[in-house]
Amino acid sequence: MHIYLVGGAVRDALLGLPVYDKDYVVVGALPEQLLQLGYQQVGKDFPVFLHPDSKNEYALARTERKAGTGYTGFICEFGPNVTLEDDLSRRDLTINAIAQQQDGTLIDPYGGQADIAQRTLRHVSDAFIEDPLRVLRVARFAARFHQLGFSVAPETHALMQQMADSGELMSLTPERVWKETEKALACDQPQVFFEVLYHCHALAALFPELAPLWDTTDTSSEQQISALQALKYSAQLANTLEKTLTTRVACRFAVLCQTLDTDTISALCQRIKVPSEHKELALLASRWHAHIHQLGQPGLAQAEEVLALYQATDAWRRPERFAQLLLCAHADAGLAHYPQGTRLWQWFNELKTITAQPFVAQGLKGPAIGEAIFQARLERLKQILKE
Ligand code: ATP
Ligand code: MG
């Protein structure tokens, strides 16, 4: 049996990028042999195993043939007769179809190294069209490697367009669509994912709700930065709020959606099963980002309105989410310093120091305490705005 490192690990090492997880392909072996060696089989349909110590994935070399509609309709064949070349030929892109022997030798039958050098995302074979998920994957790799100068090869783009036009993308489950979208949003240039999908006609099938973002006839938005531009900025605004992948994705999703109306955002989130945390931030951003631009300016802001913003966005209980909301508004305004956000955050923190304690000490009870806090915060805010 022969074991090769394949896929993302080989590609990323050639690109000089850090390698996180390693996938291996095993040629000339039967499942029983791997089981005997202590590998653990995962998944019933696919011959994929976990290494007993490293827990890296080892897959038996396999071929795939399309047998029905949708991305599940595959017949998968494996066995000691399937060659490394067979296995590499079923892969999506040439840059993902390079294998490496244990001694470092590269096996690259489809020109992956040349495409890495030319910064080209090119499909391996015409079997590319058999799996609609690949349209999303290519768009995601375009976003991920945009900074490195990668773009989609014209012939691959043509196949993606053909796949989009055929209606096959409709067979993708919402879970798959969201999973790829989530990964794309986490990239440095997330807007490229949507641009690539738009240009190959896939956006209309996958995200019809986003169509208004490409409507250039809407002159009222002439002064505004486009949602895609804002999405790009949101990724550039190096931010301490993006502590976790979830908050990073949530902010970017909200920035993408915030110029859409709330019904459209709800429809999109329901259809592709966007997590509720992301949906809530997107809805808040849609309702409030334009107000935030205004309310953060002392000359324009009324204390009552600013306080209403804090109340309506539940800022007192959810300060982190409120900070994310300010980030969304910032991205909508551009990359420059965004004083509105800074001020709304400072005022908020000052008002937060007004708490129930002194009112309880005065003997207030029940709703009267909340009312007293509200009034005290309002008075303080009026003062601040006059200063
Ligand atoms: P990442 O760094 O995001 O994990 P990756 O290239 O390793 O990138 P995986 O999804 O882990 O991507 O898949 C591993 C390999 O399996 C890919 O490099 C590619 O060769 C192949 N592959 C995965 N999904 C598909 C697909 N839908 N069609 C064809 N080949 C695929
Ligand atoms: Mg991988």
Side-chain angles (χ1 to χ4, degrees):
M1 110 173 64
H2 293 279
I3 297 178
Y4 304 88
L5 185 64
V6 273
V10 179
R11 176 200 67 217
D12 290 349
L14 288 170
L15 284 166
L17 299 172
V19 170
Y20 297 107
D21 46 37
K22 293 182 171 178
D23 295 313
Y24 293 89
V25 62
V26 184
V27 180
L30 288 165
E32 295 75 36
Q33 286 172 280
L34 288 175
L35 291 172
Q36 268 166 17
L37 290 171
Y39 286 78
Q40 207 185 327
Q41 183 155 9
V42 286
K44 289 196 193 85
D45 308 332
F46 280 11
V48 177
F49 300 82
L50 296 184
H51 189 276
D53 304 322
S54 72
K55 304 292 174 206
N56 284 326
E57 275 192 15
Y58 287 70
L60 287 190
R62 66 176 189 262
T63 59
E64 277 166 2
R65 271 187 304 117
K66 179 95 168 156
T69 53
Y71 110 99
T72 49
F74 280 97
I75 294 176
C76 161
E77 275 172 43
F78 57 94
N81 301 328
V82 177
T83 66
L84 180 63
E85 281 71 16
D86 293 337
D87 181 275
L88 295 176
S89 75
R90 69 167 172 86
R91 293 172 185 267
D92 50 2
L93 295 170
T94 61
I95 64 163
N96 291 341
I98 310 171
Q100 188 169 32
Q101 273 170 208
Q102 262 132 335
D103 67 2
T105 310
L106 296 172
I107 295 114
D108 180 18
Y110 304 102
Q113 292 171 91
D115 282 334
I116 285 181
Q118 290 167 31
R119 302 301 199 229
T120 302
L121 301 171
R122 193 192 313 279
H123 63 282
V124 169
S125 81
D126 287 346
F128 180 87
I129 58 164
E130 293 181 354
D131 177 4
L133 188 71
R134 291 171 188 157
V135 173
L136 284 161
R137 283 179 57 90
V138 174
R140 178 160 70 74
F141 283 116
R144 181 158 156 195
F145 295 139
H146 182 76
Q147 220 124 332
L148 295 176
F150 275 86
S151 59
V152 182
E155 59 271 32
T156 305
H157 183 270
L159 285 187
M160 289 161 73
Q161 192 163 322
Q162 185 189 325
M163 291 157 85
D165 293 342
S166 77
E168 264 279 292
L169 299 183
M170 299 299 193
S171 66
L172 288 168
T173 63
E175 288 81 5
R176 294 310 294 239
V177 175
W178 172 249
K179 211 170 151 212
E180 291 296 320
T181 306
E182 200 176 22
K183 286 187 184 171
L185 285 170
C187 294
D188 286 342
Q189 301 276 346
Q191 78 288 353
V192 173
F193 175 73
F194 297 98
E195 280 162 4
V196 168
L197 292 179
Y198 175 75
H199 288 297
C200 74
H201 305 174
L203 200 93
L206 295 167
F207 303 101
E209 297 86 356
L210 298 182
L213 302 184
W214 274 266
D215 182 5
T216 47
T217 57
D218 179 6
T219 48
S220 68
S221 64
E222 225 168 72
Q223 299 301 315
Q224 291 175 3
I225 297 166
S226 79
L228 287 197
Q229 194 71 14
L231 179 58
K232 179 178 170 174
Y233 291 155
S234 72
Q236 284 173 25
L237 290 168
N239 202 283
T240 49
L241 297 171
E242 296 190 338
K243 277 186 203 141
T244 65
L245 193 63
T246 313
T247 47
R248 180 192 299 190
V249 171
C251 283
R252 294 176 186 185
F253 179 71
V255 169
L256 175 71
C257 294
Q258 66 187 344
T259 56
L260 301 171
D261 63 60
T262 52
D263 286 347
T264 307
I265 295 171
S266 296
L268 170 64
C269 292
Q270 195 177 358
R271 198 173 53 75
I272 59 168
K273 303 190 181 166
V274 175
S276 57
E277 197 181 329
H278 299 46
K279 174 182 165 182
E280 278 165 25
L281 185 64
L283 290 174
L284 284 173
S286 162
R287 286 203 188 97
W288 292 101
H289 74 278
H291 293 282
I292 290 172
H293 294 330
Q294 299 273 313
L295 293 175
Q297 304 189 45
L300 294 173
Q302 296 290 323
E304 288 81 358
E305 290 171 328
V306 176
L307 210 54
L309 166 74
Y310 296 142
Q311 302 284 113
T313 56
D314 206 10
W316 310 116
R317 281 194 301 174
R318 306 280 310 270
E320 286 215 353
R321 189 180 63 184
F322 184 67
Q324 290 165 12
L325 199 55
L326 295 178
L327 176 72
C328 294
H330 186 171
D332 181 63
L335 272 182
H337 175 55
Y338 183 59
Q340 289 99 314
T342 313
R343 287 192 205 107
L344 284 167
W345 186 243
Q346 276 169 356
W347 301 342
F348 168 73
N349 279 297
E350 178 145 359
L351 298 183
K352 225 172 52 171
T353 62
I354 300 176
T355 59
Q357 211 190 0
F359 304 113
V360 173
Q362 279 170 30
L364 292 186
K365 293 215 161 37
I369 300 171
E371 181 56 28
I373 296 174
F374 181 84
Q375 285 304 330
R377 284 176 174 164
L378 189 58
E379 289 315 311
R380 180 72 195 105
L381 192 53
K382 283 181 180 168
Q383 257 178 13
I384 294 170
L385 293 177
K386 261 194 252 154
E387 281 163 11

